[in-house]
Amino acid sequence: MVAPDVDRLFAGSIPQLYERYLVPLIFEPYAADLAARAALRTPSSVLEIAAGTGVVTRRLASTLAPSVAIVATDLNQAMLDHAASVGTSRPVEWRQADATQLPFPDETFDVVVCQFGAMFFPDKARAFSEARRVLRPGGAFMFNVWDRIDQNEFAHAVTLALEPVFPLDPPRFLARTPHGYSDTEVVARQLSEGGFVRDPDVTTLAARSRASSPDTVAIAYCQGTPLRNEIEARGPSRLLDATDAAAAAIRNRFGRGAVDGKIQAHIVVIER
């Protein structure tokens, strides 16, 4: 399914809330994993696409040797601006770029990294073709995608909680886009369509998502992702209603204090 444009809109206060709440909630464990995988290849240059607010970029900067050149890109300038304002442990190059039209010469990078961005690409085979184009022979494209939403407990609970709030047209962003690209056979086929000839190495990795309260989880998903756009399209005043319903659902299932839920993703590595 092609995601609506609203699914790719990270604007307004979303970048700040995304960084404050969502990054520690679900992204940090997988950022550490990707950076470690990149380091094992001892690259001299790394490109990150769909860098968001820079959680992987910061890990790459602290994990890779200081001599490794890191270029971090994203389609959304607001996300890059926030990433740059947070900063990294050493200089990296921040650059606005469309993953389907990368502004780099052929065979420029040893590794191309993408954390939870492939789901948002409107033409995935084209984006994969671009990743392959800018890789040097023998280089690796490594990325992760979320597993099914029922394997990610907080996202699933939030999605179900919004159904009675909007019974005629419940927001389905989380199921449709972040968790809508979990079929690894589809991923492998689209990598092939993008010109990769080798089989991808796919690892399914479970982790834990932890927050200090149910409210933190509700704010992270309802206000720090494009789910917010979908909620506010039903009426700006509905955002608090949705957030309260999500918090109540998390509270009822996981408790009133600190909460802990399962998350799960697929890590895909393929060589050029």
Side-chain angles (χ1 to χ4, degrees), residues 176-195:
R176 178 177 61 247
T177 300
H179 297 280
Y181 194 50
S182 60
D183 188 332
T184 56
E185 291 185 1
V186 172
V187 174
R189 184 179 73 244
Q190 292 180 329
L191 284 166
S192 177
E193 291 169 356

Side-chain angles (χ1 to χ4, degrees), residues 41-199:
R41 302 191 69 88
T42 60
S44 62
S45 58
V46 175
L47 171 67
E48 183 184 359
I49 52 179
T53 59
V55 58
V56 173
T57 321
R58 293 190 291 274
R59 280 285 187 170
L60 290 170
S62 62
T63 302
L64 300 178
S67 60
V68 179
I70 302 172
V71 181
T73 68
D74 198 277
L75 179 64
N76 291 276
Q77 188 63 49
M79 297 289 272
L80 280 181
D81 289 344
H82 191 76
S85 73
V86 175
T88 53
S89 60
R90 64 180 178 87
V92 303
E93 179 182 350
W94 303 101
R95 187 163 177 180
Q96 193 276 337
D98 184 337
T100 63
Q101 302 178 60
L102 292 173
F104 306 105
D106 296 357
E107 301 182 5
T108 301
F109 301 97
D110 298 309
V111 173
V112 175
V113 173
C114 181
Q115 167 136 300
F116 300 121
M119 306 88 77
F120 294 91
F121 299 156
D123 186 338
K124 294 173 178 58
R126 182 174 176 182
F128 294 159
S129 175
E130 280 291 275
R132 181 183 182 279
R133 179 183 66 78
V134 302
L135 275 172
R136 295 183 178 123
F141 178 32
M142 51 185 67
F143 61 99
N144 47 28
V145 295
W146 291 115
D147 201 349
R148 302 188 317 270
I149 196 167
D150 61 5
Q151 295 299 312
N152 289 268
E153 293 179 330
F154 289 158
H156 195 208
V158 169
T159 298
L160 293 177
L162 297 185
E163 292 179 356
V165 181
F166 305 98
L168 298 181
D169 187 18
R172 297 287 297 168
F173 164 74
L174 295 174
R176 178 177 61 247
T177 300
H179 297 280
Y181 194 50
S182 60
D183 188 332
T184 56
E185 291 185 1
V186 172
V187 174
R189 184 179 73 244
Q190 292 180 329
L191 284 166
S192 177
E193 291 169 356
F196 286 95
V197 297
R198 302 188 184 191
D199 292 331

Side-chain angles (χ1 to χ4, degrees), residues 10 14 18 22 173-174 220-229:
F10 291 79
I14 289 178
Y18 178 104
L22 207 65
F173 164 74
L174 295 174
Y221 283 106
C222 293
Q223 300 184 27
T225 76
L227 176 60
R228 177 178 188 150
N229 305 324

